[in-house]
Amino acid sequence: MFYVNSRAFIERFNDGEPEIVIQRRMKTDSSFKFELPGGRIGPFESLIQALIREVKEETGLDVYEIEGNETRIDTLGINPEFDVECLQPFAAYQTVKGPVDSIGYYFRCKAKGERATNM
């Protein structure tokens, strides 16, 4: 199986102090891992839609700015039966060894709202 992920570097202010949102998550081997919010995109879900959805699901925060989104190109107007989203992520990764084969894209973004503590 091959996964494609959309992940966020979230910069935000908390009580006037800048912070980066990092998650501490329990993995299946019962160990804790630190990671940035994000996850798998669904079939034909855009990277941006997945990013916004995953951040909301995992942190409770609402993404309101995504670096590079202003350069986004959507080809839907060219051919209504074929739609391609082109954009510039902050970084990309690919697993080259391990139990899961995946590729992912990181986006720098800003989010607001109350961070969920039970997620």
Side-chain angles (χ1 to χ4, degrees), residues 11-108:
E11 303 170 55
R12 70 182 214 131
F13 284 88
N14 186 17
D15 293 327
E17 296 294 321
E19 69 179 12
I20 302 293
V21 177
I22 298 174
Q23 295 178 280
R24 183 176 181 211
R25 298 187 49 179
M26 177 71 87
K27 294 297 187 174
T28 55
D29 64 359
S30 298
S31 66
F32 283 106
K33 304 289 182 189
F34 292 96
E35 64 184 18
L36 296 170
R40 283 185 246 161
I41 66 168
F44 298 105
E45 182 180 30
S46 80
L47 289 167
I48 297 299
Q49 289 171 337
L51 178 76
I52 292 167
R53 176 184 55 76
E54 286 285 345
V55 167
K56 184 68 171 179
E57 287 175 5
E58 295 185 359
T59 69
L61 299 174
D62 296 305
V63 172
Y64 67 89
E65 184 178 312
I66 302 167
E67 183 178 288
N69 197 38
E70 68 278 359
T71 63
R72 182 179 174 274
I73 299 170
D74 190 335
T75 65
L76 184 60
I78 298 169
N79 181 345
E81 295 179 19
F82 187 76
D83 191 15
V84 176
E85 179 183 65
C86 303
L87 42 91
Q88 183 176 346
F90 174 70
Y93 72 89
Q94 177 184 0
T95 56
V96 292
K97 183 179 180 182
V100 177
D101 191 10
S102 66
I103 189 167
Y105 301 95
Y106 286 102
F107 295 91
R108 287 181 63 183

